[in-house]
Amino acid sequence: MINYTKTILVNAFEALLKTKSFDEITVTDITNYCGAARSTFYKYFSDKYDIMIWKYQNALNEIHIEQTAIPYWRENTYSGVTYLANNREYFLKIIDYKGQNSVHDFLYNYSYQFIYKVLCKERNIENLPLLENEALKIYLMGSSKYLMDWLKTMHISPEELADLLCNCMPDLLKQYFE
């Protein structure tokens, strides 16, 4: 029931994005569009920024649920990039938002937590060494910004982008993914 209700609210948000900018949309607009009470909205989301991210986070969780090992790294990267491409119109509407819960910040944080966890699990350690941790942060900060810029132009195919992202990983980290 929770995901069903969240999906209804997210669908209302997405429908509103077709006619309004992100900044123009209010929680009242979302609840009025789908006939939900404001209390229902706030039961599942803290604000419109929270709803903005939920769909993407849910999709990434589904992509990664069974593929949490390093051998699936390229496939996960390709699946994530393909998802962005297939939902390009949605992301173009919210991509330039730079404040609280921006897509760029979400993508960086999600990727960092996911890859950090996989690397620690594969290496049977609790924490990454400092140099590897910092290399991962730098790589993902640049990659997430690059992904957002790519979405605007899509100057290369999703397959080419996934390969580029995998091939540009620092050697310090890449050694664990090959």
Side-chain angles (χ1 to χ4, degrees):
M1 184 66 161
I2 291 172
N3 278 344
Y4 177 74
T5 303
K6 282 185 166 187
T7 300
I8 289 171
L9 293 165
V10 169
N11 289 344
F13 174 72
E14 288 178 314
L16 289 166
L17 274 175
K18 293 178 181 173
T19 60
K20 293 182 170 191
S21 73
F22 173 78
D23 291 332
E24 294 173 320
I25 297 172
T26 65
V27 170
T28 301
D29 291 334
I30 296 166
T31 57
N32 286 346
Y33 189 90
C34 65
R38 284 179 68 83
S39 60
T40 300
F41 179 91
Y42 287 113
K43 181 178 179 180
Y44 299 106
F45 297 105
S46 58
D47 51 33
K48 71 178 185 178
Y49 308 100
D50 194 20
I51 202 170
M52 174 178 66
I53 295 299
W54 184 82
K55 177 182 176 183
Y56 188 54
Q57 182 173 1
N58 198 45
L60 283 177
N61 287 342
E62 287 179 23
I63 289 167
H64 293 135
I65 200 151
E66 292 182 17
Q67 298 183 356
T68 57
I70 286 175
Y72 299 104
W73 173 55
R74 285 188 184 271
E75 287 132 12
N76 282 343
T77 302
Y78 175 71
S79 295
V81 169
T82 300
Y83 179 80
L84 283 170
N86 290 341
N87 293 277
R88 183 175 186 228
E89 292 306 313
Y90 172 77
F91 289 105
L92 287 176
K93 290 281 193 162
I94 62 173
I95 207 168
D96 289 326
Y97 174 72
K98 304 286 188 241
Q100 171 186 350
N101 295 337
S102 71
V103 175
H104 176 262
D105 288 346
F106 166 77
L107 184 59
Y108 164 76
N109 289 323
Y110 183 95
S111 300
Y112 174 76
Q113 291 169 7
F114 178 77
I115 294 174
Y116 188 96
K117 180 179 156 186
V118 170
L119 281 172
C120 287
K121 182 180 173 186
E122 283 289 320
R123 297 180 58 209
N124 199 27
I125 57 176
E126 272 190 54
N127 296 301
L128 288 179
L130 180 64
L131 186 59
E132 291 174 11
N133 186 48
E134 297 307 308
L136 180 61
K137 287 178 183 179
I138 292 167
Y139 168 70
L140 292 174
M141 283 179 193
S143 295
S144 56
K145 173 69 171 113
Y146 189 85
L147 270 168
M148 297 300 101
D149 290 345
W150 169 81
L151 251 170
K152 292 177 184 178
T153 63
M154 293 188 70
H155 62 282
I156 58 177
S157 71
E159 295 86 1
E160 291 169 317
L161 177 60
D163 282 342
L164 180 67
L165 291 172
C166 292
N167 293 334
C168 287
M169 180 177 266
D171 291 339
L172 179 66
L173 300 171
K174 195 185 295 185
Q175 64 182 327
Y176 301 112
F177 289 90
E178 297 179 327

Coordinates of all heavy atoms in Angstrom, one line a residue, residues 94-147:
I94 N 13.9 18.7 -13.8 CA 14.4 18.9 -12.4 C 15.9 19.0 -12.3 O 16.4 19.3 -11.3 CB 13.9 17.7 -11.5 CG1 14.4 16.4 -11.9 CG2 12.4 17.7 -11.4 CD1 14.1 15.3 -10.9
I95 N 16.6 18.8 -13.4 CA 18.0 18.7 -13.4 C 18.8 20.1 -13.0 O 19.8 20.0 -12.4 CB 18.5 18.3 -14.8 CG1 19.9 17.5 -14.6 CG2 18.6 19.4 -15.7 CD1 20.2 16.8 -15.9
D96 N 18.2 21.2 -13.3 CA 18.8 22.4 -13.0 C 18.6 22.9 -11.6 O 19.1 23.9 -11.2 CB 18.4 23.5 -14.1 CG 19.0 23.2 -15.4 OD1 20.1 22.7 -15.5 OD2 18.4 23.5 -16.4
Y97 N 17.7 22.3 -10.9 CA 17.5 22.7 -9.5 C 18.7 22.4 -8.7 O 19.2 21.2 -8.7 CB 16.3 21.9 -9.0 CG 16.1 22.2 -7.5 CD1 15.6 23.4 -7.1 CD2 16.4 21.2 -6.6 CE1 15.5 23.7 -5.7 CE2 16.3 21.5 -5.2 CZ 15.8 22.7 -4.8 OH 15.7 23.0 -3.5
K98 N 19.2 23.3 -8.0 CA 20.5 23.2 -7.3 C 20.4 23.2 -5.8 O 21.3 23.0 -5.1 CB 21.5 24.3 -7.7 CG 21.7 24.5 -9.2 CD 22.6 23.4 -9.7 CE 23.0 23.7 -11.1 NZ 22.6 22.7 -12.0
G99 N 19.2 23.3 -5.3 CA 19.0 23.4 -3.8 C 18.9 22.1 -3.1 O 19.5 21.1 -3.6
Q100 N 18.2 22.1 -2.1 CA 17.9 20.9 -1.2 C 17.5 19.7 -2.1 O 16.6 19.8 -2.9 CB 16.8 21.3 -0.3 CG 16.2 20.2 0.5 CD 15.1 20.7 1.4 OE1 14.8 21.9 1.5 NE2 14.4 19.8 2.0
N101 N 18.1 18.6 -1.9 CA 17.8 17.3 -2.5 C 18.0 17.4 -4.1 O 17.2 16.8 -4.8 CB 16.4 16.9 -2.2 CG 16.2 16.5 -0.7 OD1 17.2 16.2 -0.1 ND2 15.0 16.6 -0.3
S102 N 18.9 18.1 -4.6 CA 19.1 18.1 -6.0 C 19.4 16.8 -6.6 O 19.9 15.9 -5.8 CB 20.3 19.1 -6.4 OG 21.5 18.5 -6.0
V103 N 19.1 16.5 -7.8 CA 19.4 15.3 -8.5 C 20.9 15.0 -8.4 O 21.3 13.8 -8.2 CB 18.8 15.2 -9.9 CG1 19.2 14.0 -10.6 CG2 17.3 15.4 -9.9
H104 N 21.7 16.0 -8.7 CA 23.1 15.8 -8.7 C 23.6 15.3 -7.3 O 24.4 14.3 -7.2 CB 23.8 17.1 -9.1 CG 25.3 17.0 -9.0 ND1 26.0 17.4 -7.9 CD2 26.2 16.5 -9.9 CE1 27.3 17.2 -8.1 NE2 27.5 16.6 -9.3
D105 N 23.2 16.0 -6.3 CA 23.6 15.5 -4.9 C 23.1 14.1 -4.6 O 23.8 13.3 -4.0 CB 23.0 16.5 -3.9 CG 23.8 17.9 -3.9 OD1 24.8 18.0 -4.5 OD2 23.3 18.8 -3.3
F106 N 21.8 13.9 -5.0 CA 21.3 12.5 -4.7 C 22.1 11.5 -5.5 O 22.5 10.5 -4.9 CB 19.8 12.4 -5.1 CG 19.4 11.0 -5.2 CD1 19.1 10.3 -4.1 CD2 19.3 10.3 -6.4 CE1 18.7 9.0 -4.1 CE2 19.0 9.0 -6.5 CZ 18.7 8.3 -5.3
L107 N 22.4 11.7 -6.7 CA 23.1 10.7 -7.5 C 24.5 10.5 -7.0 O 24.9 9.3 -6.8 CB 23.2 11.2 -9.0 CG 23.9 10.3 -10.0 CD1 23.1 8.9 -10.0 CD2 23.9 10.9 -11.3
Y108 N 25.2 11.5 -6.6 CA 26.5 11.4 -5.9 C 26.4 10.6 -4.7 O 27.1 9.6 -4.5 CB 27.1 12.8 -5.6 CG 28.3 12.6 -4.7 CD1 29.5 12.1 -5.1 CD2 28.1 12.9 -3.3 CE1 30.5 12.0 -4.2 CE2 29.1 12.8 -2.4 CZ 30.4 12.3 -2.9 OH 31.4 12.1 -2.0
N109 N 25.5 11.0 -3.8 CA 25.4 10.3 -2.5 C 25.0 8.8 -2.6 O 25.5 7.9 -2.0 CB 24.4 11.0 -1.6 CG 24.9 12.3 -1.1 OD1 26.1 12.4 -0.8 ND2 24.1 13.3 -1.0
Y110 N 24.0 8.5 -3.5 CA 23.5 7.2 -3.7 C 24.7 6.3 -4.3 O 24.9 5.2 -3.8 CB 22.4 7.2 -4.7 CG 21.8 5.8 -4.9 CD1 20.7 5.3 -4.1 CD2 22.3 4.9 -5.8 CE1 20.2 4.1 -4.3 CE2 21.8 3.6 -6.0 CZ 20.7 3.2 -5.2 OH 20.2 1.9 -5.4
S111 N 25.4 6.8 -5.3 CA 26.5 6.1 -5.9 C 27.6 5.8 -4.9 O 28.2 4.7 -4.9 CB 27.0 6.8 -7.1 OG 26.0 7.0 -8.1
Y112 N 27.9 6.9 -4.2 CA 29.0 6.7 -3.2 C 28.7 5.6 -2.2 O 29.5 4.7 -1.9 CB 29.3 8.1 -2.5 CG 30.2 8.0 -1.4 CD1 31.6 7.8 -1.6 CD2 29.8 7.9 0.0 CE1 32.5 7.7 -0.6 CE2 30.7 7.8 1.0 CZ 32.1 7.7 0.7 OH 33.0 7.5 1.8
Q113 N 27.5 5.7 -1.6 CA 27.1 4.7 -0.6 C 27.1 3.3 -1.2 O 27.5 2.3 -0.5 CB 25.8 5.1 0.0 CG 25.8 6.3 0.9 CD 24.5 6.8 1.3 OE1 23.4 6.2 1.0 NE2 24.5 8.0 1.9
F114 N 26.5 3.2 -2.4 CA 26.4 1.9 -3.0 C 27.8 1.3 -3.3 O 28.1 0.1 -2.9 CB 25.6 2.0 -4.3 CG 25.5 0.6 -5.0 CD1 24.6 -0.3 -4.6 CD2 26.3 0.4 -6.2 CE1 24.6 -1.6 -5.2 CE2 26.2 -0.8 -6.8 CZ 25.3 -1.8 -6.4
I115 N 28.7 2.0 -4.0 CA 30.0 1.5 -4.4 C 30.9 1.3 -3.1 O 31.6 0.3 -3.1 CB 30.7 2.5 -5.4 CG1 29.9 2.4 -6.7 CG2 32.1 2.0 -5.7 CD1 30.3 3.4 -7.8
Y116 N 30.8 2.2 -2.2 CA 31.6 2.0 -0.9 C 31.2 0.7 -0.3 O 32.1 -0.1 0.1 CB 31.3 3.2 0.0 CG 32.1 3.2 1.2 CD1 33.3 4.0 1.3 CD2 31.8 2.5 2.4 CE1 34.1 4.1 2.4 CE2 32.6 2.5 3.5 CZ 33.7 3.3 3.5 OH 34.5 3.4 4.6
K117 N 29.9 0.4 -0.2 CA 29.4 -0.8 0.4 C 29.9 -2.0 -0.3 O 30.4 -3.0 0.2 CB 27.9 -0.8 0.5 CG 27.3 -2.0 1.1 CD 25.8 -1.8 1.1 CE 25.1 -3.1 1.1 NZ 23.6 -3.0 1.0
V118 N 29.8 -2.0 -1.7 CA 30.3 -3.1 -2.5 C 31.8 -3.3 -2.4 O 32.2 -4.5 -2.2 CB 29.9 -2.9 -4.0 CG1 30.5 -3.9 -4.9 CG2 28.3 -2.9 -4.1
L119 N 32.5 -2.3 -2.4 CA 34.0 -2.4 -2.3 C 34.4 -3.0 -0.9 O 35.2 -3.9 -0.9 CB 34.7 -1.0 -2.5 CG 34.9 -0.6 -3.9 CD1 35.4 0.9 -3.9 CD2 35.8 -1.5 -4.7
C120 N 33.8 -2.5 0.1 CA 34.1 -3.0 1.5 C 33.7 -4.5 1.6 O 34.5 -5.3 2.1 CB 33.4 -2.2 2.5 SG 34.1 -0.6 2.8
K121 N 32.6 -4.9 1.0 CA 32.1 -6.3 1.1 C 33.0 -7.2 0.3 O 33.4 -8.2 0.7 CB 30.7 -6.3 0.5 CG 30.1 -7.7 0.5 CD 28.7 -7.7 0.0 CE 28.2 -9.2 -0.2 NZ 26.9 -9.2 -0.8
E122 N 33.4 -6.7 -0.9 CA 34.3 -7.5 -1.8 C 35.7 -7.7 -1.2 O 36.3 -8.8 -1.3 CB 34.4 -6.9 -3.2 CG 33.3 -7.1 -4.1 CD 33.1 -8.5 -4.6 OE1 34.1 -9.1 -4.9 OE2 32.0 -9.0 -4.6
R123 N 36.1 -6.7 -0.5 CA 37.5 -6.8 0.1 C 37.5 -7.3 1.5 O 38.5 -7.4 2.2 CB 38.1 -5.4 0.0 CG 38.3 -5.0 -1.5 CD 38.9 -3.6 -1.7 NE 40.2 -3.6 -1.1 CZ 40.7 -2.5 -0.6 NH1 40.1 -1.3 -0.7 NH2 41.9 -2.5 0.0
N124 N 36.3 -7.5 2.1 CA 36.1 -8.0 3.4 C 36.7 -7.0 4.4 O 37.5 -7.5 5.3 CB 36.6 -9.4 3.6 CG 36.1 -10.1 4.8 OD1 35.0 -9.8 5.2 ND2 36.8 -11.1 5.3
I125 N 36.4 -5.8 4.3 CA 36.9 -4.7 5.2 C 35.7 -3.9 5.7 O 34.7 -3.9 5.0 CB 38.0 -3.8 4.6 CG1 37.5 -3.2 3.3 CG2 39.3 -4.6 4.3 CD1 38.4 -2.2 2.6
E126 N 35.9 -3.2 6.8 CA 34.8 -2.3 7.3 C 34.8 -1.0 6.6 O 33.8 -0.4 6.4 CB 34.9 -2.2 8.8 CG 34.2 -3.3 9.6 CD 34.1 -2.9 11.0 OE1 33.7 -1.8 11.4 OE2 34.6 -3.8 11.8
N127 N 36.0 -0.4 6.4 CA 36.2 0.9 5.8 C 37.2 0.9 4.7 O 38.2 0.2 4.9 CB 36.5 1.9 6.9 CG 35.5 2.1 8.0 OD1 34.3 2.4 7.7 ND2 35.8 1.8 9.2
L128 N 37.0 1.7 3.7 CA 38.0 1.9 2.7 C 39.2 2.7 3.2 O 39.0 3.6 4.0 CB 37.4 2.7 1.5 CG 36.4 2.0 0.6 CD1 36.0 2.9 -0.5 CD2 37.1 0.7 0.0
P129 N 40.4 2.4 2.8 CA 41.5 3.2 3.2 C 41.3 4.7 2.7 O 40.6 4.9 1.7 CB 42.7 2.6 2.4 CG 42.3 1.2 2.2 CD 40.8 1.2 2.0
L130 N 41.9 5.6 3.4 CA 41.6 7.1 3.1 C 41.8 7.4 1.6 O 41.0 8.1 1.0 CB 42.5 7.9 4.0 CG 42.4 9.4 3.8 CD1 41.0 9.9 4.2 CD2 43.5 10.2 4.6
L131 N 42.9 7.0 1.0 CA 43.2 7.4 -0.4 C 42.1 6.8 -1.3 O 41.7 7.6 -2.2 CB 44.6 6.9 -0.8 CG 45.1 7.4 -2.2 CD1 45.1 8.9 -2.3 CD2 46.5 6.8 -2.4
E132 N 41.7 5.6 -1.1 CA 40.7 5.0 -2.0 C 39.4 5.7 -1.8 O 38.6 6.0 -2.7 CB 40.6 3.5 -1.7 CG 41.8 2.8 -2.2 CD 41.8 1.3 -1.8 OE1 40.7 0.8 -1.4 OE2 42.8 0.6 -2.0
N133 N 39.1 6.0 -0.5 CA 37.8 6.7 -0.2 C 37.8 8.1 -0.9 O 36.7 8.4 -1.5 CB 37.6 6.8 1.3 CG 36.3 7.4 1.7 OD1 35.3 7.0 1.2 ND2 36.3 8.4 2.5
E134 N 38.8 8.8 -0.8 CA 38.9 10.1 -1.4 C 38.8 10.0 -3.0 O 38.2 10.9 -3.6 CB 40.1 10.9 -1.0 CG 40.1 11.2 0.5 CD 38.8 11.9 1.0 OE1 38.4 12.9 0.5 OE2 38.2 11.3 2.0
A135 N 39.5 9.1 -3.5 CA 39.5 8.8 -5.0 C 38.1 8.5 -5.4 O 37.6 9.0 -6.5 CB 40.4 7.7 -5.4
L136 N 37.4 7.7 -4.7 CA 36.0 7.4 -5.0 C 35.1 8.7 -4.9 O 34.3 8.9 -5.8 CB 35.4 6.3 -4.0 CG 34.0 5.9 -4.2 CD1 33.8 5.3 -5.6 CD2 33.6 4.9 -3.1
K137 N 35.3 9.5 -3.9 CA 34.5 10.7 -3.8 C 34.7 11.6 -5.0 O 33.8 12.2 -5.6 CB 34.8 11.5 -2.6 CG 34.3 10.8 -1.3 CD 34.7 11.6 -0.1 CE 34.3 11.0 1.2 NZ 34.8 11.8 2.4
I138 N 36.0 11.8 -5.4 CA 36.4 12.7 -6.5 C 35.8 12.2 -7.8 O 35.2 12.9 -8.6 CB 37.9 12.9 -6.6 CG1 38.4 13.7 -5.4 CG2 38.3 13.6 -7.9 CD1 39.9 13.7 -5.2
Y139 N 35.9 10.9 -8.0 CA 35.4 10.3 -9.2 C 33.9 10.4 -9.3 O 33.4 10.8 -10.4 CB 35.8 8.8 -9.3 CG 35.1 8.0 -10.3 CD1 35.4 8.2 -11.7 CD2 34.2 7.1 -10.0 CE1 34.7 7.4 -12.6 CE2 33.5 6.3 -10.9 CZ 33.8 6.5 -12.3 OH 33.1 5.8 -13.2
L140 N 33.2 10.2 -8.3 CA 31.8 10.2 -8.3 C 31.2 11.6 -8.4 O 30.2 11.9 -9.0 CB 31.2 9.5 -7.1 CG 31.4 7.9 -7.2 CD1 30.9 7.3 -5.9 CD2 30.7 7.3 -8.4
M141 N 31.9 12.6 -7.8 CA 31.5 14.0 -7.9 C 31.5 14.4 -9.4 O 30.6 15.0 -9.9 CB 32.4 14.9 -7.1 CG 32.1 14.9 -5.6 SD 33.2 16.0 -4.8 CE 32.9 15.5 -3.1
G142 N 32.6 14.1 -10.1 CA 32.7 14.4 -11.5 C 31.8 13.6 -12.3 O 31.1 14.2 -13.3
S143 N 31.6 12.3 -12.1 CA 30.8 11.5 -12.9 C 29.3 11.9 -12.8 O 28.6 11.9 -13.8 CB 30.9 10.0 -12.4 OG 32.1 9.5 -12.6
S144 N 28.8 12.2 -11.6 CA 27.4 12.6 -11.4 C 27.2 13.9 -12.1 O 26.1 14.1 -12.8 CB 27.0 12.7 -9.9 OG 27.9 13.5 -9.2
K145 N 28.1 14.9 -12.1 CA 27.9 16.2 -12.8 C 28.0 15.9 -14.3 O 27.2 16.4 -15.1 CB 29.1 17.1 -12.4 CG 29.1 18.4 -13.2 CD 27.9 19.3 -12.9 CE 28.1 20.7 -13.5 NZ 27.2 21.0 -14.6
Y146 N 28.9 15.0 -14.7 CA 29.0 14.7 -16.2 C 27.7 14.1 -16.7 O 27.2 14.4 -17.7 CB 30.2 13.8 -16.4 CG 30.4 13.6 -17.9 CD1 31.2 14.5 -18.6 CD2 29.9 12.5 -18.6 CE1 31.5 14.3 -19.9 CE2 30.1 12.3 -19.9 CZ 30.9 13.2 -20.6 OH 31.2 13.1 -21.9
L147 N 27.1 13.2 -15.9 CA 25.8 12.5 -16.2 C 24.7 13.6 -16.4 O 23.9 13.5 -17.4 CB 25.4 11.6 -15.1 CG 25.8 10.1 -15.2 CD1 25.6 9.4 -13.9 CD2 25.2 9.4 -16.4

